[in-house]
Amino acid sequence: MTPPPSVTPALDPEMFDPMCPSSALPFQIGDKWTGMVVLCLEHGRRRFTEIRGPLRGITPKVLTQTLRAMERDGLVVRTAYPEHPPRVEYELTPLGRSLLTLIDAARTWSRSHLAELLRARQAYDAN
Amino acid sequence: MTPPPSVTPALDPEMFDPMCPSSALPFQIGDKWTGMVVLCLEHGRRRFTEIRGPLRGITPKVLTQTLRAMERDGLVVRTAYPEHPPRVEYELTPLGRSLLTLIDAARTWSRSHLAELLRARQAYDAN
DNA sequence: CAGGATCCCATCTGATACTG
DNA sequence: CAGTATCAGATGGGATCCTG
């Protein structure tokens, strides 16, 4: 018997390619993982472990820190169900969802300019 | 005899109000000071000390680090004049100037949503 | 399953002093 | 003036182990 599936389709575990140079972006949403968490929650709520999947290598402690900070800032709501084993779901608030426009602006910038930045960096390092 | 004025009007030493909650923004351009440096250079090139003014409290070491990183990424060009005392000017490249659109997106987001974020934070901390 | 508790380290930032 | 050198502190992120 499979567990009841989330309302939303499963997250692609490789939605954040570690080889993608987005880590070179000259801007960041919140802390290191905040932007990726927002994207994980873009299409509906997710459980703790579900979010953890695409965030390759994040430890539970750090994910908890990230989610707590986001909850504090009103970006996500946390819902704990009194079950055993426990189940907790996180969902974007409208405020959290508003960050998507910023992430989109960042992506647009990247498509237009990131290659140039990386070229400049290589050229500089060649000397 | 006053020194030859920069091409551009002087920077307002209080253009970055330390009491302004922009430090609470859930996003950041580059490192801590990068976004502010971009804004300092928005209207033309500036000398090292000129940039340092509005960036209250930045040490020369950190400003140098910031500017070097920006030069590496092709965001600014550094021009040193062989004079005594030395004179160095920094100027945004078109790539660096392209960040202004992102900064603008951030500002737009702030105007619409930052107050709400701060309210959520206060409410959370009240418990 | 969803975390809490500890420990540790790298990085970032700043303070201070000095120099071509 | 525009840095460099050195040192100290804070902070963030991660590894590991443990638990309701």
Side-chain angles (χ1 to χ4, degrees), chain A residues 2-118:
Chain A
T2 54
S6 338
V7 190
T8 31
L11 289 174
D12 177 0
E14 304 198 359
M15 62 185 287
F16 303 114
D17 178 355
M19 289 307 125
C20 159
S22 69
S23 61
L25 289 185
F27 39 75
Q28 199 182 318
I29 310 289
D31 289 333
K32 180 174 181 185
W33 302 97
T34 308
M36 286 183 266
V37 170
V38 171
L39 289 174
C40 284
L41 299 177
E42 180 175 7
H43 299 299
R45 40 182 148 168
R46 304 280 181 188
R47 301 183 58 167
F48 187 87
T49 311
E50 225 176 338
I51 301 169
R52 214 186 150 184
L55 274 44
R56 299 301 174 124
I58 195 175
T59 59
K61 188 194 81 170
V62 173
L63 181 53
T64 299
Q65 281 177 359
T66 303
L67 288 167
R68 288 283 191 282
M70 293 177 71
E71 193 192 1
R72 180 167 106 103
D73 287 350
L75 304 178
V76 300
V77 284
R78 176 181 183 277
T79 313
Y81 299 90
E83 303 173 357
H84 285 276
R87 180 166 58 100
V88 177
E89 290 189 337
Y90 293 90
E91 187 178 10
L92 284 181
T93 63
L95 183 60
R97 192 162 291 280
S98 73
L99 287 177
L100 287 168
T101 65
L102 269 177
I103 295 178
D104 216 63
R107 283 173 158 167
T108 300
W109 187 93
S110 302
R111 273 189 289 275
S112 308
H113 303 292
L114 184 55
E116 186 180 349
L117 184 149
L118 293 174

Side-chain angles (χ1 to χ4, degrees), chain B residues 17-75:
Chain B
D17 179 354
M19 288 307 124
C20 159
S22 68
S23 60
L25 289 185
F27 38 75
Q28 200 183 316
I29 310 290
D31 288 332
K32 181 174 180 185
W33 303 96
T34 308
M36 286 183 266
V37 170
V38 171
L39 289 174
C40 285
L41 299 177
E42 180 175 7
H43 300 299
R45 39 180 155 181
R46 303 281 181 187
R47 300 182 58 165
F48 188 87
T49 310
E50 225 177 339
I51 300 170
R52 214 184 150 184
L55 272 45
R56 299 301 177 121
I58 195 174
T59 59
K61 188 193 80 171
V62 173
L63 181 53
T64 299
Q65 282 176 359
T66 303
L67 289 166
R68 289 281 192 281
M70 293 177 70
E71 193 190 2
R72 180 167 106 103
D73 286 350
L75 304 178

Side-chain angles (χ1 to χ4, degrees), chain B residues 75-105:
Chain B
L75 304 178
V76 300
V77 284
R78 175 181 183 278
T79 312
Y81 298 91
E83 305 172 355
H84 284 277
R87 179 165 57 100
V88 177
E89 290 189 337
Y90 293 90
E91 187 178 10
L92 284 181
T93 63
L95 183 60
R97 191 162 292 281
S98 74
L99 286 177
L100 287 168
T101 66
L102 269 177
I103 295 177
D104 217 63

